[in-house]
Coordinates of all heavy atoms in Angstrom, one line a residue:
M28 N -3.1 -5.0 16.1 CA -3.8 -5.3 14.9 C -4.3 -6.8 14.9 O -3.6 -7.7 15.3 CB -2.8 -5.1 13.7 CG -3.4 -5.1 12.4 SD -2.3 -4.5 11.1 CE -2.2 -2.7 11.6
T29 N -5.4 -7.0 14.3 CA -6.0 -8.4 14.4 C -5.3 -9.3 13.3 O -5.1 -8.9 12.2 CB -7.5 -8.3 14.0 OG1 -8.1 -7.3 14.9 CG2 -8.2 -9.6 14.2
M30 N -5.1 -10.5 13.7 CA -4.4 -11.4 12.8 C -5.5 -12.4 12.2 O -6.5 -12.7 12.9 CB -3.4 -12.3 13.6 CG -2.4 -11.4 14.4 SD -1.4 -10.3 13.4 CE -0.2 -11.5 12.8
V31 N -5.2 -12.8 11.0 CA -6.1 -13.8 10.4 C -5.2 -15.0 10.2 O -4.2 -15.0 9.5 CB -6.6 -13.2 9.0 CG1 -7.4 -14.3 8.3 CG2 -7.3 -12.0 9.2
N32 N -5.7 -16.1 10.7 CA -4.9 -17.3 10.8 C -4.6 -18.0 9.4 O -3.5 -18.4 9.2 CB -5.6 -18.4 11.7 CG -5.6 -17.9 13.1 OD1 -4.7 -17.2 13.6 ND2 -6.6 -18.3 13.9
N33 N -5.6 -18.0 8.5 CA -5.4 -18.8 7.3 C -4.4 -18.1 6.3 O -4.0 -18.7 5.4 CB -6.7 -19.1 6.6 CG -7.5 -17.8 6.3 OD1 -7.0 -16.7 6.5 ND2 -8.6 -18.0 5.7
T34 N -4.0 -16.9 6.5 CA -3.0 -16.2 5.7 C -1.9 -15.6 6.5 O -1.5 -14.5 6.3 CB -3.7 -15.2 4.8 OG1 -4.4 -14.3 5.6 CG2 -4.6 -15.7 3.7
A35 N -1.5 -16.4 7.5 CA -0.5 -15.9 8.5 C 0.7 -15.3 7.9 O 1.3 -14.3 8.3 CB -0.2 -17.0 9.5
A36 N 1.2 -15.9 6.8 CA 2.4 -15.6 6.2 C 2.4 -14.1 5.6 O 3.5 -13.5 5.6 CB 2.8 -16.5 5.1
I37 N 1.3 -13.6 5.2 CA 1.2 -12.3 4.7 C 0.5 -11.3 5.6 O 0.0 -10.3 5.2 CB 0.6 -12.3 3.3 CG1 -0.7 -12.9 3.3 CG2 1.6 -12.9 2.3 CD1 -1.5 -12.6 2.0
Q38 N 0.5 -11.6 6.9 CA -0.1 -10.7 7.8 C 0.9 -9.8 8.4 O 2.0 -10.2 8.7 CB -0.8 -11.5 9.0 CG -2.1 -12.1 8.6 CD -3.1 -11.2 8.0 OE1 -3.5 -10.2 8.6 NE2 -3.4 -11.4 6.7
P39 N 0.6 -8.5 8.5 CA 1.6 -7.6 9.1 C 1.5 -7.6 10.6 O 0.5 -7.9 11.2 CB 1.0 -6.2 8.6 CG -0.4 -6.4 8.5 CD -0.6 -7.9 8.1
V40 N 2.7 -7.4 11.2 CA 2.7 -7.3 12.6 C 2.9 -5.8 13.0 O 2.6 -5.4 14.1 CB 3.8 -8.2 13.3 CG1 3.4 -9.6 13.1 CG2 5.2 -7.9 12.7
A41 N 3.4 -5.0 12.1 CA 3.6 -3.6 12.4 C 3.6 -2.8 11.1 O 4.3 -3.2 10.1 CB 4.9 -3.3 13.2
V42 N 3.0 -1.7 11.1 CA 3.0 -0.8 9.9 C 3.4 0.6 10.4 O 2.8 1.1 11.3 CB 1.6 -0.7 9.2 CG1 1.6 0.3 8.1 CG2 1.1 -2.0 8.8
T43 N 4.5 1.1 9.8 CA 5.0 2.4 10.2 C 5.1 3.3 9.0 O 5.7 3.0 8.0 CB 6.4 2.3 10.9 OG1 6.4 1.2 11.8 CG2 6.8 3.6 11.5
D44 N 4.5 4.5 9.1 CA 4.6 5.4 8.0 C 5.7 6.4 8.4 O 5.6 7.2 9.3 CB 3.2 6.2 7.9 CG 3.3 7.2 6.7 OD1 4.1 7.0 5.8 OD2 2.5 8.1 6.8
Q45 N 6.7 6.4 7.6 CA 7.9 7.2 7.8 C 7.7 8.4 6.9 O 8.3 8.5 5.8 CB 9.2 6.5 7.6 CG 9.3 5.3 8.5 CD 10.5 4.4 8.2 OE1 11.1 4.4 7.1 NE2 11.0 3.7 9.2
R46 N 7.0 9.4 7.4 CA 6.6 10.5 6.5 C 7.8 11.3 6.0 O 7.8 11.8 4.9 CB 5.6 11.5 7.2 CG 4.4 10.8 7.6 CD 3.2 11.3 7.0 NE 2.0 10.4 7.2 CZ 0.8 10.7 7.5 NH1 0.5 12.0 7.7 NH2 -0.1 9.8 7.7
A47 N 8.8 11.5 6.9 CA 9.9 12.3 6.5 C 10.7 11.8 5.3 O 11.1 12.5 4.4 CB 10.9 12.5 7.7
S48 N 10.8 10.4 5.2 CA 11.5 9.8 4.1 C 10.5 9.2 3.1 O 10.9 8.6 2.1 CB 12.4 8.7 4.6 OG 11.7 7.9 5.5
Q49 N 9.2 9.4 3.3 CA 8.1 9.0 2.4 C 8.2 7.5 2.2 O 8.2 7.0 1.0 CB 8.1 9.8 1.1 CG 7.8 11.2 1.4 CD 7.3 11.9 0.1 OE1 7.3 11.4 -1.0 NE2 6.9 13.2 0.3
L50 N 8.4 6.7 3.2 CA 8.5 5.3 3.1 C 7.4 4.7 4.1 O 7.3 5.1 5.2 CB 9.8 4.7 3.6 CG 11.0 4.9 2.6 CD1 12.3 4.4 3.3 CD2 10.8 4.1 1.4
L51 N 6.7 3.7 3.6 CA 5.8 2.9 4.4 C 6.5 1.6 4.7 O 6.9 0.9 3.8 CB 4.5 2.6 3.7 CG 3.5 1.9 4.5 CD1 2.8 2.9 5.4 CD2 2.4 1.2 3.7
R52 N 6.8 1.4 6.0 CA 7.5 0.2 6.5 C 6.5 -0.8 7.0 O 5.8 -0.5 7.9 CB 8.5 0.6 7.5 CG 9.5 -0.4 8.0 CD 10.5 0.2 8.9 NE 11.6 -0.7 9.1 CZ 11.6 -1.7 10.1 NH1 10.6 -1.8 10.9 NH2 12.7 -2.5 10.2
I53 N 6.6 -2.0 6.5 CA 5.7 -3.1 7.0 C 6.5 -4.2 7.5 O 7.4 -4.8 6.7 CB 4.7 -3.5 5.9 CG1 3.9 -2.4 5.4 CG2 3.8 -4.6 6.5 CD1 3.0 -2.7 4.2
E54 N 6.3 -4.6 8.7 CA 7.0 -5.9 9.2 C 5.9 -7.0 9.2 O 4.8 -6.8 9.7 CB 7.4 -5.7 10.7 CG 8.5 -4.7 10.9 CD 8.9 -4.5 12.3 OE1 9.0 -5.5 13.0 OE2 9.1 -3.4 12.7
W55 N 6.3 -8.1 8.5 CA 5.4 -9.2 8.3 C 5.6 -10.3 9.4 O 6.7 -10.3 10.0 CB 5.6 -9.8 6.9 CG 5.4 -8.8 5.8 CD1 6.4 -8.1 5.2 CD2 4.2 -8.3 5.3 NE1 5.8 -7.2 4.2 CE2 4.5 -7.3 4.3 CE3 2.8 -8.6 5.5 CZ2 3.5 -6.7 3.5 CZ3 1.8 -8.0 4.8 CH2 2.2 -7.0 3.8
A56 N 4.6 -11.1 9.5 CA 4.6 -12.1 10.6 C 5.7 -13.1 10.4 O 6.2 -13.7 11.3 CB 3.3 -12.9 10.6
D57 N 6.2 -13.3 9.1 CA 7.3 -14.2 8.9 C 8.7 -13.5 9.0 O 9.7 -14.2 8.7 CB 7.2 -14.9 7.5 CG 7.2 -13.9 6.4 OD1 7.3 -12.7 6.7 OD2 7.1 -14.3 5.2
G58 N 8.7 -12.3 9.5 CA 10.0 -11.6 9.7 C 10.5 -10.8 8.6 O 11.4 -10.0 8.8
V59 N 9.9 -10.9 7.4 CA 10.3 -10.0 6.3 C 9.8 -8.6 6.6 O 8.8 -8.3 7.2 CB 9.6 -10.5 5.0 CG1 9.8 -9.6 3.8 CG2 10.2 -11.9 4.6
V60 N 10.7 -7.6 6.1 CA 10.3 -6.2 6.3 C 10.3 -5.6 4.9 O 11.2 -5.8 4.1 CB 11.4 -5.5 7.1 CG1 11.1 -4.0 7.1 CG2 11.4 -6.0 8.5
S61 N 9.2 -4.9 4.6 CA 9.0 -4.2 3.3 C 9.1 -2.7 3.5 O 8.5 -2.2 4.5 CB 7.6 -4.5 2.6 OG 7.5 -5.9 2.4
E62 N 9.9 -2.0 2.7 CA 9.9 -0.6 2.8 C 9.4 -0.1 1.4 O 10.1 -0.2 0.4 CB 11.3 -0.1 3.1 CG 11.7 -0.3 4.5 CD 12.9 0.4 5.0 OE1 13.8 0.7 4.1 OE2 13.0 0.7 6.2
L63 N 8.2 0.5 1.4 CA 7.5 0.9 0.2 C 7.5 2.4 0.0 O 6.8 3.1 0.8 CB 6.1 0.3 0.2 CG 6.0 -1.2 0.3 CD1 4.6 -1.6 0.7 CD2 6.4 -1.8 -1.0
P64 N 8.2 3.0 -1.0 CA 8.1 4.4 -1.2 C 6.7 4.9 -1.5 O 5.9 4.2 -2.2 CB 9.0 4.6 -2.4 CG 9.8 3.4 -2.5 CD 9.0 2.3 -1.9
H65 N 6.3 6.0 -0.9 CA 4.9 6.5 -1.2 C 4.6 6.6 -2.7 O 3.5 6.3 -3.1 CB 4.7 7.8 -0.5 CG 4.7 7.8 1.0 ND1 4.5 8.9 1.8 CD2 4.8 6.7 1.9 CE1 4.5 8.6 3.1 NE2 4.7 7.3 3.1
G66 N 5.6 7.1 -3.4 CA 5.4 7.3 -4.8 C 5.1 6.0 -5.6 O 4.3 6.0 -6.5
L67 N 5.8 5.0 -5.2 CA 5.6 3.6 -5.8 C 4.1 3.2 -5.5 O 3.4 2.7 -6.4 CB 6.5 2.6 -5.2 CG 6.2 1.1 -5.6 CD1 6.7 0.9 -7.0 CD2 6.9 0.2 -4.6
L68 N 3.6 3.4 -4.3 CA 2.3 3.0 -4.0 C 1.3 3.8 -4.8 O 0.3 3.2 -5.3 CB 2.0 3.2 -2.5 CG 2.9 2.3 -1.6 CD1 2.8 2.7 -0.1 CD2 2.4 0.8 -1.7
R69 N 1.5 5.1 -5.0 CA 0.6 5.9 -5.8 C 0.6 5.4 -7.2 O -0.5 5.3 -7.8 CB 1.1 7.3 -5.8 CG 0.2 8.3 -6.6 CD -1.2 8.3 -6.0 NE -2.1 9.1 -6.9 CZ -2.8 8.6 -7.9 NH1 -2.7 7.3 -8.2 NH2 -3.6 9.3 -8.6
R70 N 1.8 5.0 -7.8 CA 1.8 4.6 -9.2 C 1.2 3.2 -9.4 O 0.7 2.9 -10.4 CB 3.3 4.5 -9.7 CG 3.9 5.9 -9.9 CD 5.2 5.8 -10.7 NE 6.2 4.9 -10.1 CZ 7.0 5.3 -9.1 NH1 7.0 6.5 -8.7 NH2 7.9 4.4 -8.6
K71 N 1.3 2.4 -8.3 CA 0.8 1.0 -8.4 C -0.7 0.9 -7.9 O -1.1 -0.3 -7.7 CB 1.7 0.1 -7.5 CG 3.1 0.0 -8.1 CD 3.2 -0.7 -9.4 CE 4.6 -1.0 -9.8 NZ 4.7 -1.7 -11.0
C72 N -1.4 1.9 -7.7 CA -2.7 1.9 -7.3 C -3.5 1.1 -8.3 O -3.4 1.2 -9.5 CB -3.3 3.3 -7.2 SG -5.1 3.3 -6.7
K73 N -4.4 0.2 -7.8 CA -5.1 -0.7 -8.7 C -6.6 -0.4 -8.7 O -7.4 -1.3 -9.0 CB -4.9 -2.2 -8.3 CG -3.5 -2.7 -8.6 CD -3.5 -4.2 -8.8 CE -3.8 -5.0 -7.6 NZ -3.6 -6.4 -7.8
C74 N -7.0 0.8 -8.3 CA -8.4 1.1 -8.3 C -8.8 1.2 -9.8 O -8.0 1.4 -10.7 CB -8.7 2.4 -7.6 SG -8.3 3.9 -8.4
A75 N -10.1 1.2 -10.1 CA -10.6 1.2 -11.5 C -10.1 2.4 -12.2 O -9.7 2.3 -13.4 CB -12.2 1.2 -11.4
E76 N -10.1 3.5 -11.5 CA -9.7 4.8 -12.2 C -8.2 4.7 -12.6 O -7.9 5.1 -13.8 CB -9.9 5.9 -11.2 CG -9.7 7.3 -11.7 CD -9.8 8.3 -10.5 OE1 -10.5 8.1 -9.5 OE2 -9.0 9.3 -10.6
C77 N -7.4 4.3 -11.7 CA -5.9 4.2 -12.1 C -5.6 3.1 -13.1 O -4.8 3.3 -14.0 CB -5.1 4.0 -10.8 SG -5.2 5.4 -9.7
V78 N -6.3 2.0 -13.0 CA -6.1 0.9 -13.9 C -6.5 1.4 -15.3 O -5.7 1.2 -16.3 CB -6.8 -0.4 -13.5 CG1 -6.8 -1.4 -14.7 CG2 -6.2 -1.0 -12.3
A79 N -7.6 2.1 -15.4 CA -8.0 2.6 -16.7 C -7.0 3.6 -17.3 O -6.7 3.6 -18.5 CB -9.4 3.2 -16.6
A80 N -6.5 4.5 -16.4 CA -5.5 5.5 -16.8 C -4.2 4.8 -17.3 O -3.6 5.2 -18.3 CB -5.2 6.4 -15.7
Q81 N -3.8 3.7 -16.6 CA -2.6 3.0 -17.0 C -2.8 2.3 -18.3 O -1.9 2.3 -19.2 CB -2.2 2.0 -15.9 CG -1.7 2.6 -14.6 CD -1.9 1.8 -13.4 OE1 -2.1 0.6 -13.5 NE2 -1.8 2.4 -12.2
R82 N -4.0 1.7 -18.5 CA -4.2 1.0 -19.8 C -4.3 2.0 -20.9 O -3.9 1.7 -22.1 CB -5.6 0.3 -19.7 CG -5.5 -1.0 -18.9 CD -6.6 -1.9 -19.2 NE -6.5 -3.1 -18.4 CZ -7.5 -3.5 -17.6 NH1 -8.7 -3.0 -17.7 NH2 -7.3 -4.6 -16.8
A83 N -4.7 3.2 -20.7 CA -4.8 4.2 -21.7 C -3.5 4.9 -21.9 O -3.3 5.8 -22.8 CB -5.9 5.3 -21.4
G84 N -2.5 4.5 -21.1 CA -1.2 5.1 -21.3 C -1.0 6.5 -20.7 O -0.1 7.2 -21.0
Q85 N -2.0 6.9 -19.9 CA -1.9 8.2 -19.2 C -0.9 8.1 -18.1 O -0.9 7.1 -17.4 CB -3.3 8.6 -18.7 CG -4.3 8.9 -19.8 CD -5.7 9.0 -19.3 OE1 -5.9 9.1 -18.1 NE2 -6.7 9.0 -20.2
P86 N -0.2 9.2 -17.9 CA 0.7 9.2 -16.8 C 0.0 9.2 -15.4 O -1.0 9.9 -15.3 CB 1.6 10.5 -17.0 CG 0.7 11.3 -17.8 CD -0.1 10.4 -18.7
V87 N 0.4 8.4 -14.5 CA -0.1 8.5 -13.2 C 0.7 9.4 -12.4 O 1.9 9.5 -12.6 CB -0.2 7.1 -12.6 CG1 -0.7 7.1 -11.1 CG2 -1.0 6.1 -13.4
A88 N 0.1 10.1 -11.5 CA 0.8 11.1 -10.6 C 2.0 10.5 -10.0 O 2.0 9.4 -9.5 CB -0.1 11.6 -9.5
Q89 N 3.1 11.2 -10.1 CA 4.4 10.8 -9.6 C 4.7 11.4 -8.2 O 4.3 12.5 -7.9 CB 5.5 11.2 -10.5 CG 5.4 10.7 -11.9 CD 5.8 9.2 -12.0 OE1 6.7 8.8 -11.4 NE2 5.0 8.5 -12.8
G90 N 5.4 10.6 -7.4 CA 5.9 11.1 -6.1 C 4.9 11.7 -5.2 O 5.1 12.6 -4.5
S91 N 3.7 11.1 -5.2 CA 2.7 11.6 -4.3 C 2.9 11.0 -2.9 O 2.9 9.8 -2.6 CB 1.3 11.1 -4.8 OG 1.0 11.8 -6.0
A92 N 3.0 11.9 -1.9 CA 3.1 11.5 -0.5 C 1.8 11.0 0.0 O 0.7 11.5 -0.4 CB 3.6 12.7 0.3
I93 N 1.9 10.1 0.9 CA 0.7 9.6 1.6 C 0.4 10.5 2.7 O 1.3 10.9 3.5 CB 1.0 8.1 2.1 CG1 1.0 7.2 1.0 CG2 -0.1 7.7 3.2 CD1 1.4 5.8 1.4
T94 N -0.9 10.9 2.8 CA -1.3 11.9 3.8 C -2.2 11.3 4.8 O -2.5 11.9 5.9 CB -2.0 13.1 3.2 OG1 -3.1 12.7 2.4 CG2 -1.0 13.9 2.3
G95 N -2.7 10.0 4.5 CA -3.6 9.4 5.5 C -3.7 7.9 5.2 O -3.5 7.5 4.0
I96 N -3.8 7.1 6.2 CA -3.9 5.6 6.1 C -5.1 5.1 6.9 O -5.2 5.5 8.1 CB -2.6 4.9 6.5 CG1 -1.4 5.4 5.7 CG2 -2.8 3.4 6.4 CD1 -0.1 4.8 6.2
E97 N -5.9 4.3 6.3 CA -7.0 3.7 7.0 C -6.9 2.2 6.8 O -6.6 1.7 5.7 CB -8.4 4.1 6.5 CG -8.7 5.5 7.0 CD -10.1 6.0 6.5 OE1 -10.9 5.1 6.1 OE2 -10.3 7.2 6.3
I98 N -7.2 1.4 7.9 CA -7.3 0.0 7.7 C -8.7 -0.4 7.2 O -9.7 0.2 7.7 CB -7.1 -0.7 9.1 CG1 -5.6 -0.5 9.5 CG2 -7.3 -2.2 9.0 CD1 -5.3 -1.0 10.8
V99 N -8.8 -1.2 6.2 CA -10.0 -1.6 5.6 C -10.3 -3.1 6.0 O -9.5 -4.0 5.5 CB -10.0 -1.5 4.0 CG1 -11.3 -2.0 3.4 CG2 -9.6 -0.1 3.6
G100 N -11.2 -3.3 6.9 CA -11.5 -4.7 7.3 C -10.2 -5.2 8.0 O -9.5 -4.5 8.7
E101 N -9.9 -6.5 7.7 CA -8.7 -7.1 8.2 C -7.7 -7.4 7.1 O -6.7 -8.1 7.4 CB -9.0 -8.3 9.0 CG -9.8 -8.0 10.2 CD -10.1 -9.3 11.1 OE1 -9.8 -10.4 10.6 OE2 -10.7 -9.1 12.2
H102 N -7.9 -7.0 5.9 CA -7.2 -7.5 4.8 C -6.5 -6.4 4.0 O -5.8 -6.7 3.0 CB -8.0 -8.4 3.9 CG -9.1 -7.6 3.2 ND1 -10.2 -7.1 3.8 CD2 -9.1 -7.2 1.9 CE1 -10.9 -6.4 2.8 NE2 -10.2 -6.4 1.7
A103 N -6.7 -5.1 4.2 CA -6.2 -4.1 3.3 C -6.0 -2.8 4.0 O -6.5 -2.5 5.1 CB -7.2 -4.0 2.1
L104 N -5.2 -1.9 3.3 CA -5.1 -0.5 3.7 C -5.6 0.3 2.6 O -5.5 0.0 1.4 CB -3.6 -0.2 3.9 CG -2.9 -0.9 5.1 CD1 -1.4 -0.4 5.2 CD2 -3.6 -0.5 6.4
N105 N -6.1 1.5 3.0 CA -6.6 2.5 2.1 C -5.7 3.7 2.3 O -5.7 4.3 3.4 CB -8.1 2.8 2.3 CG -8.6 3.8 1.3 OD1 -8.0 4.2 0.3 ND2 -9.8 4.4 1.6
F106 N -5.0 4.2 1.3 CA -4.2 5.4 1.4 C -4.8 6.6 0.8 O -5.6 6.5 -0.2 CB -2.9 5.1 0.6 CG -2.1 4.0 1.1 CD1 -1.8 2.9 0.2 CD2 -1.7 3.9 2.4 CE1 -1.1 1.8 0.7 CE2 -0.9 2.8 2.9 CZ -0.6 1.7 2.0
K107 N -4.6 7.7 1.5 CA -4.9 9.0 0.9 C -3.6 9.6 0.5 O -2.6 9.6 1.2 CB -5.6 9.9 1.9 CG -7.0 9.4 2.3 CD -7.7 10.4 3.2 CE -9.1 9.8 3.5 NZ -9.8 10.7 4.5
F108 N -3.6 10.2 -0.8 CA -2.4 10.7 -1.3 C -2.5 12.3 -1.4 O -3.6 12.8 -1.5 CB -2.1 10.1 -2.7 CG -1.8 8.7 -2.7 CD1 -2.8 7.7 -2.9 CD2 -0.5 8.2 -2.4 CE1 -2.5 6.4 -2.8 CE2 -0.2 6.9 -2.3 CZ -1.2 5.9 -2.6
A109 N -1.3 12.9 -1.5 CA -1.3 14.3 -1.5 C -1.9 14.9 -2.8 O -2.3 16.1 -2.8 CB 0.2 14.8 -1.4
D110 N -2.1 14.1 -3.8 CA -2.7 14.7 -5.0 C -4.2 14.6 -4.9 O -4.9 14.9 -5.9 CB -2.2 14.0 -6.3 CG -2.6 12.5 -6.3 OD1 -3.1 12.0 -5.3 OD2 -2.3 11.8 -7.3
G111 N -4.7 14.2 -3.8 CA -6.2 14.1 -3.6 C -6.8 12.7 -3.8 O -8.0 12.5 -3.5
H112 N -6.0 11.8 -4.4 CA -6.5 10.5 -4.6 C -6.7 9.7 -3.3 O -5.8 9.7 -2.5 CB -5.5 9.8 -5.5 CG -6.1 8.5 -6.1 ND1 -7.2 8.4 -6.9 CD2 -5.7 7.2 -6.0 CE1 -7.5 7.2 -7.2 NE2 -6.6 6.4 -6.7
E113 N -7.8 9.1 -3.1 CA -8.0 8.4 -1.8 C -8.8 7.1 -2.0 O -9.4 6.6 -1.0 CB -8.6 9.3 -0.8 CG -10.0 9.9 -1.3 CD -10.5 10.9 -0.2 OE1 -9.8 11.7 0.3 OE2 -11.7 10.8 0.1
R114 N -8.9 6.6 -3.2 CA -9.7 5.4 -3.4 C -8.9 4.1 -3.6 O -9.5 3.1 -3.9 CB -10.6 5.6 -4.6 CG -11.7 6.6 -4.4 CD -12.8 6.5 -5.4 NE -13.3 7.8 -5.7 CZ -13.4 8.4 -6.8 NH1 -12.9 7.8 -7.9 NH2 -13.9 9.6 -7.0
G115 N -7.6 4.2 -3.4 CA -6.8 3.0 -3.6 C -6.9 2.0 -2.4 O -6.5 2.4 -1.3
I116 N -7.4 0.8 -2.7 CA -7.3 -0.2 -1.7 C -6.2 -1.1 -1.9 O -6.1 -1.7 -3.0 CB -8.7 -1.0 -1.7 CG1 -9.9 -0.1 -1.5 CG2 -8.6 -2.1 -0.6 CD1 -10.0 0.5 -0.2
F117 N -5.3 -1.3 -1.0 CA -4.2 -2.2 -1.1 C -4.2 -3.4 -0.2 O -3.9 -3.2 1.0 CB -2.9 -1.4 -0.8 CG -2.5 -0.3 -1.9 CD1 -3.3 0.8 -2.0 CD2 -1.4 -0.5 -2.7 CE1 -3.0 1.8 -3.0 CE2 -1.1 0.4 -3.7 CZ -1.9 1.6 -3.8
P118 N -4.6 -4.5 -0.7 CA -4.7 -5.7 0.2 C -3.3 -6.1 0.7 O -2.3 -5.8 0.0 CB -5.2 -6.8 -0.7 CG -5.9 -6.1 -1.9 CD -5.1 -4.8 -2.0
W119 N -3.2 -6.7 1.8 CA -1.9 -7.1 2.4 C -1.1 -7.8 1.4 O 0.1 -7.6 1.2 CB -2.0 -7.9 3.7 CG -2.7 -7.2 4.8 CD1 -3.8 -7.6 5.5 CD2 -2.2 -5.9 5.4 NE1 -4.0 -6.6 6.5 CE2 -3.1 -5.6 6.5 CE3 -1.2 -5.0 5.2 CZ2 -3.0 -4.5 7.3 CZ3 -1.1 -3.9 6.0 CH2 -2.0 -3.7 7.0
A120 N -1.7 -8.8 0.7 CA -1.0 -9.6 -0.3 C -0.4 -8.8 -1.4 O 0.8 -9.1 -1.8 CB -1.9 -10.7 -0.9
Y121 N -1.1 -7.7 -1.8 CA -0.5 -6.9 -2.9 C 0.6 -6.0 -2.3 O 1.7 -5.9 -3.0 CB -1.6 -6.0 -3.4 CG -1.2 -5.1 -4.6 CD1 -0.6 -5.7 -5.7 CD2 -1.5 -3.8 -4.6 CE1 -0.2 -4.9 -6.8 CE2 -1.2 -3.0 -5.7 CZ -0.5 -3.5 -6.7 OH -0.1 -2.7 -7.8
L122 N 0.5 -5.6 -1.1 CA 1.6 -4.8 -0.5 C 2.8 -5.6 -0.3 O 4.0 -5.2 -0.6 CB 1.1 -4.2 0.9 CG 0.1 -3.1 0.8 CD1 -0.5 -2.9 2.1 CD2 0.8 -1.8 0.3
R123 N 2.6 -6.9 0.0 CA 3.7 -7.8 0.2 C 4.4 -8.1 -1.2 O 5.6 -8.1 -1.3 CB 3.2 -9.1 0.8 CG 4.2 -10.3 0.8 CD 5.3 -9.9 1.8 NE 6.3 -11.0 1.8 CZ 6.5 -11.8 2.9 NH1 5.9 -11.5 4.0 NH2 7.4 -12.8 2.8
E124 N 3.6 -8.2 -2.2 CA 4.1 -8.4 -3.6 C 5.0 -7.2 -4.0 O 6.1 -7.3 -4.5 CB 2.9 -8.5 -4.5 CG 3.1 -9.2 -5.8 CD 1.7 -9.2 -6.5 OE1 0.8 -9.9 -6.0 OE2 1.6 -8.5 -7.5
L125 N 4.5 -6.0 -3.7 CA 5.2 -4.8 -4.1 C 6.5 -4.7 -3.3 O 7.5 -4.2 -3.9 CB 4.3 -3.6 -3.8 CG 3.1 -3.4 -4.7 CD1 2.3 -2.2 -4.3 CD2 3.5 -3.2 -6.2
G126 N 6.4 -5.1 -2.1 CA 7.6 -5.0 -1.2 C 8.7 -5.9 -1.7 O 9.9 -5.6 -1.6
V127 N 8.4 -7.1 -2.2 CA 9.3 -8.0 -2.6 C 9.9 -7.6 -4.0 O 11.1 -7.7 -4.2 CB 8.7 -9.4 -2.8 CG1 9.6 -10.4 -3.5 CG2 8.3 -10.0 -1.4
A128 N 9.1 -7.0 -4.8 CA 9.5 -6.6 -6.1 C 10.4 -5.4 -6.1 O 11.3 -5.2 -7.0 CB 8.3 -6.3 -7.0
S129 N 10.3 -4.5 -5.1 CA 11.0 -3.3 -5.2 C 12.4 -3.4 -4.5 O 12.7 -4.4 -3.9 CB 10.2 -2.2 -4.4 OG 10.1 -2.5 -3.1
Ligands
LIG429 ZN1 -6.3 4.7 -7.9

């Protein structure tokens, strides 16, 4: 995976999707490891559609397994979820934030 020098602290060195336990494991360049449940990532999606739904108080799909992961440029991941949602872009910095908070 390509590294970006100016944000070295929040660059991943390894991303492992543990489908059996529905955990996305990210090892960061500074040695921190984040284990992010798929369902958390689905609920925390920040795409326009999900943000609007959250603001309107609509329930966001729960417990959605990740079925596909794509790297977007050098700064983000795009997840596909079992409920058909596939527009969520998760920048590394946001994933790192979620990992620390959970
Ligand atoms: Zn979304």
Side-chain angles (χ1 to χ4, degrees):
M28 193 167 289
T29 308
M30 308 299 278
V31 177
N32 292 328
N33 60 359
T34 52
I37 54 166
Q38 287 303 300
V40 292
V42 177
T43 312
D44 181 25
Q45 300 176 335
R46 299 242 168 137
S48 50
Q49 296 199 357
L50 282 176
L51 186 78
R52 186 174 192 274
I53 304 176
E54 291 179 44
W55 302 99
D57 61 358
V59 170
V60 174
S61 298
E62 287 193 331
L63 301 163
H65 290 182
L67 172 77
L68 295 168
R69 180 64 187 89
R70 287 195 304 278
K71 296 291 188 179
C72 179
K73 288 208 294 189
C74 79
E76 187 187 328
C77 291
V78 168
Q81 287 156 19
R82 286 203 183 124
Q85 293 167 10
V87 177
Q89 301 283 320
S91 292
I93 288 171
T94 58
I96 300 176
E97 283 179 26
I98 295 178
V99 181
E101 293 182 354
H102 70 283
L104 292 179
N105 180 15
F106 301 120
K107 292 185 178 178
F108 294 96
D110 65 354
H112 192 60
E113 58 180 45
R114 288 195 213 125
I116 305 289
F117 289 71
W119 296 125
Y121 184 50
L122 289 166
R123 173 65 181 244
E124 201 179 295
L125 291 175
V127 171
S129 65

